[in-house]
Amino acid sequence: MIRLSGTKHLLGHRLWIKDFPKPTKQIEVSYLIVGGGISGLSAARQFHKKGISDFLMVELENHLGGNSSNGENKYSKYPLGAHYLPLPNFQDKELLRFLEEEKIILSYDSKGFPVFDELQLTFAPDERLFYKNNWQEGVVPKEGNSVADDLEFDKFFKQMDIFRTGKGKDQKYLFDIPLYLSSSDEKTRALDKITMKKWFQENHFTSEPLYNYIDYCCKDDFGLGIEYVSAWAGIHYFAGRKQDCTPEKHDSVLTWAEGNSRLANHLKKYTKDKTLKNHLVYEVKIENNKVIAKAFDDVNKSSVEIIADKVIMASPQFVNQYLMENRKEFTKDFHYTPWLLATLTVNDLFDNFSFPLSWDNVIYDAKGLGYVYDQHQTVNQVQDKKVITYYYSFSSADLKKTRKELYKKDKEYWKQFVLNDLKVAHPDIEEYTEDIEVFLLGHGMISPVPGFIFGEAKQQAKQNIQNKIYFAHSDLSGISIFEEAFHQGINVVNEIVDGTTLDS
Ligand SMILES: Cc1cc2nc3c(=O)[nH]c(=O)nc-3n(C[C@H](O)[C@H](O)[C@H](O)COP(=O)(O)OP(=O)(O)OC[C@H]3O[C@@H](n4cnc5c(N)ncnc54)[C@H](O)[C@@H]3O)c2cc1C
């Protein structure tokens, strides 16, 4: 069986023509949050922490979580977007506090390091790579490399270590998370002007396995490959995470069958009885010192007017440009890479290879990023059927065109596309597949093309409007990861309540 689903792009497209009925209902509230992804949910948590409860969240989907949502079948939960959180940086106290609140951090040891719940850290074996016809441990190509390749890998990782620990004259890390904490060092920021591929060439790297590995990493975090992504962003992937949160587990990650939907679920409690789901906000404007937002109720096919003192737009900029005036000019510089996810239920076929089925399974010569084994974190390791989620990002120079083509293809096309790609490592996968759910994300994630992270467009999009309409979404950071969305939510509430503004 094959099913094709995705985010509600058809409803979203009605923003172009705005053929919505006139509002028949009014709601008054102090604060309105538009969008129930991690940024919006994190804002709700921060309101709660400030003792503010008079807020409402409006979300167009029938569930909260945005890109950190999940699906579930008979055998397992599975991610419909984000699937892991790397261990946080030690100085990210807000994030540590959240993980502590949710019992992901259980305590702190005698040296002050957090003790993570073992069941929420990836179990071994956590990563494998199909390279030169063999599964090998880890995702870095090793067995079968030439000596010259190995030397280049060494040189590359040493350079990344220097970037990871390096600080600018302002005593800030050159690359940090959240991104706005990074140094304003000009030489480092100039890396945002070139592509990662150019940086690779300028630094005299030539190794093909190294090129492929960096390409994979860029796609993993940004959707865009080495050819298109900013070098600053590409290096940030390796250097932003300080690996200093625990002495032993340098690069562990936190993960769950349902992916980061687990984290969204923790945050949802702050929005209990304060949420309108299935509501698409289609207009936001300031009138008589109030913000008036109009939303279309997709279930009852009616509209509602929400009158608020202040509004947080936790929705992406490609949407915001249709809700408010004068935003199209800078929004054109925001580029979003589409993604395809496919969850397959398969009979047990993976266990007889050179390295066992792992949480993350990357295929060197494939088009996609490989697949995650969704039941990996379950304590019961004997599974009747296995559930895996395949990831593919549509990295290209013309993302708009790619997006259009995405929706023209039918489910049979995508099924074959996914199976063919997996066949590189699993030639007989088609025979063993019982069910496929293909999930399309037309605007998957913000992609940091050269010039975007430190460019004008992002700066303009972040400015609040008359201290009434505020903005918080991971696209305003320039890279789409949990930590950025989480801090966007916290910072926007601090700005509203305490007037705190942050440097970029
Ligand atoms: C395929 C994929 C894999 C990813 N993997 C990871 C990962 O493993 N780890 C990681 O840290 N990050 C990952 N990410 C990044 C992920 O996007 C962020 O971690 C985070 O979930 C973004 O949250 P957000 O709130 O900023 O944005 P979004 O998730 O985009 O939330 C915005 C919300 O606003 C709603 N909305 C939009 N318009 C309207 C409107 N007009 N009215 C009402 N509601 C509206 C949307 O439906 C959505 O719920 C991944 C992203 C994708 C696409």
Side-chain angles (χ1 to χ4, degrees):
M1 195 162 95
I2 163 158
R3 278 160 289 127
L4 183 67
S5 62
T7 45
K8 278 192 183 168
H9 73 284
L10 290 178
L11 179 60
H13 288 175
R14 285 184 64 180
L15 288 174
W16 299 346
I17 41 170
K18 295 214 182 163
D19 56 344
F20 302 107
K22 282 209 161 64
T24 49
K25 211 168 98 180
Q26 273 193 345
I27 299 173
E28 284 193 45
V29 70
S30 295
Y31 303 101
L32 169 66
I33 305 173
V34 178
I38 298 297
S39 307
L41 289 167
S42 169
R45 170 177 171 272
Q46 191 67 359
F47 271 138
H48 175 85
K49 290 204 173 288
K50 299 259 178 208
I52 293 169
S53 57
D54 186 17
F55 64 85
L56 177 71
M57 172 173 280
V58 179
E59 166 57 48
L60 85 91
E61 300 282 346
N62 65 3
H63 60 270
L64 301 178
N67 280 344
S68 295
S69 298
N70 75 290
E72 185 167 5
N73 65 19
K74 223 163 56 176
Y75 306 102
S76 182
K77 291 181 178 175
Y78 50 86
L80 291 175
H83 57 291
Y84 69 98
L85 173 68
L87 290 191
N89 289 344
F90 190 62
Q91 68 175 20
D92 191 348
K93 301 301 178 206
E94 289 281 3
L95 183 50
L96 293 187
R97 201 165 307 131
F98 167 63
L99 298 179
E100 208 182 315
E101 286 164 13
E102 302 309 338
K103 309 212 167 15
I104 297 170
I105 291 178
L106 300 178
S107 61
Y108 287 83
D109 71 11
S110 57
K111 291 193 182 120
F113 287 113
V115 178
F116 290 91
D117 178 6
E118 291 284 337
L119 297 179
Q120 305 188 59
L121 287 169
T122 37
F123 299 162
D126 53 359
E127 290 174 337
R128 65 175 180 170
L129 173 73
F130 190 76
Y131 179 51
K132 302 211 183 258
N133 275 321
N134 250 334
W135 285 106
Q136 51 179 263
E137 188 175 8
V139 294
V140 179
K142 284 187 194 115
E143 293 155 34
N145 282 350
S146 68
V147 174
D149 290 329
D150 284 343
L151 287 172
E152 284 205 20
F153 271 101
D154 262 11
K155 179 178 144 191
F156 175 75
F157 286 124
K158 279 193 183 119
Q159 246 167 296
M160 293 304 118
D161 285 343
I162 293 168
F163 281 130
R164 184 178 309 112
T165 48
K167 291 191 173 177
K169 280 201 194 111
D170 49 10
Q171 290 313 307
K172 292 177 169 181
Y173 279 120
L174 298 176
F175 299 89
D176 210 347
I177 297 175
L179 199 145
Y180 71 85
L181 292 177
S182 306
S183 171
S184 57
D185 179 71
E186 278 183 25
K187 199 170 150 222
T188 313
R189 286 196 175 192
L191 292 166
D192 189 42
K193 299 217 162 68
I194 58 168
T195 63
M196 191 64 187
K197 180 177 176 180
K198 183 120 199 281
W199 179 87
F200 182 89
Q201 290 163 338
E202 281 180 358
N203 284 271
H204 312 292
F205 289 109
T206 55
S207 158
E208 193 187 301
L210 177 63
Y211 184 93
N212 273 325
Y213 168 68
I214 300 173
D215 187 48
Y216 158 80
C217 294
C218 290
K219 286 180 181 161
D220 185 42
D221 248 23
F222 314 119
L224 281 186
I226 184 167
E227 265 183 277
Y228 310 114
V229 87
S230 130
W232 194 94
I235 295 169
H236 184 275
Y237 178 93
F238 300 96
R241 300 213 158 86
K242 305 301 164 199
Q243 304 178 348
D244 57 356
C245 212
T246 107
E248 325 81 46
K249 296 192 177 76
H250 279 313
D251 51 3
S252 265
V253 306
L254 294 157
T255 190
W256 309 268
E258 69 272 36
N260 289 8
S261 180
R262 173 73 67 98
L263 300 173
N265 274 323
H266 287 314
L267 290 166
K268 278 179 202 168
K269 58 175 159 294
Y270 300 107
T271 65
K272 193 162 179 280
D273 303 326
K274 298 180 200 298
T275 311
L276 288 181
K277 292 178 205 155
N278 290 305
H279 277 65
L280 170 78
V281 173
Y282 61 86
E283 188 181 292
V284 178
K285 57 176 157 192
I286 301 173
E287 268 176 30
N288 304 325
N289 216 25
K290 293 273 183 186
V291 189
I292 315 289
K294 291 179 185 163
F296 174 65
D297 175 345
D298 192 33
V299 174
N300 296 309
K301 309 296 175 201
S302 60
S303 290
V304 52
E305 186 172 79
I306 303 156
I307 305 166
D309 292 329
K310 293 179 196 276
V311 171
I312 295 174
M313 303 301 300
S315 41
Q317 309 321 307
F318 72 85
V319 169
N320 293 345
Q321 66 176 336
Y322 296 109
L323 312 189
M324 282 166 278
E325 288 178 341
N326 304 327
R327 298 188 69 82
K328 292 215 161 96
E329 193 43 37
F330 49 81
T331 303
K332 68 177 176 8
D333 289 338
F334 283 68
H335 300 274
Y336 300 85
T337 306
W339 279 78
L340 175 153
L341 271 59
T343 296
L344 288 77
T345 304
V346 294
N347 290 317
D348 192 357
L349 81 159
F350 295 105
D351 291 341
N352 299 325
F353 291 102
S354 40
F355 192 82
L357 178 62
S358 304
W359 166 66
D360 196 11
N361 305 269
V362 180
I363 303 167
Y364 184 84
D365 283 321
K367 295 179 179 144
L369 297 173
Y371 60 91
V372 166
Y373 172 38
D374 297 312
Q375 292 136 311
H376 188 76
Q377 295 297 106
T378 48
V379 181
N380 172 15
Q381 278 304 300
V382 187
Q383 299 294 342
D384 217 12
K385 308 279 176 205
K386 289 193 163 43
V387 181
I388 61 171
T389 299
Y390 164 89
Y391 280 77
Y392 178 81
S393 80
F394 293 84
S395 172
S396 85
D398 189 346
L399 295 167
K400 259 192 189 156
K401 192 169 149 221
T402 311
R403 186 156 31 249
K404 273 190 196 144
E405 274 156 23
L406 180 78
Y407 290 113
K408 281 189 197 149
K409 309 274 195 322
D410 64 7
K411 56 186 184 181
E412 274 308 315
Y413 175 89
W414 289 124
K415 172 187 155 187
Q416 222 41 61
F417 177 92
V418 172
L419 291 171
N420 286 347
D421 207 27
L422 287 170
K423 277 179 193 168
V424 175
H426 302 291
D428 44 6
I429 186 137
E430 196 158 356
E431 218 178 294
Y432 293 100
T433 301
E434 292 194 353
D435 183 81
I436 302 190
E437 177 177 344
V438 175
F439 188 76
L440 300 174
L441 297 104
H443 283 86
M445 59 166 68
I446 187 72
S447 295
V449 295
F452 178 68
I453 288 182
F454 301 112
E456 258 303 295
K458 218 183 72 168
Q459 284 304 333
Q460 281 180 277
K462 279 203 295 212
Q463 299 306 318
N464 77 58
I465 304 175
Q466 297 175 33
N467 292 325
K468 291 270 163 209
I469 303 174
Y470 294 78
F471 298 90
H473 187 271
S474 48
D475 63 1
L476 296 171
S477 295
I479 61 173
S480 186
I481 52 174
F482 178 88
E483 298 94 313
E484 296 294 340
F486 177 73
H487 283 281
Q488 285 280 334
I490 293 174
N491 294 347
V492 79
V493 171
N494 291 348
E495 185 182 350
I496 291 174
V497 180
D498 310 327
T500 330
T501 47
L502 300 156
D503 297 341
S504 58

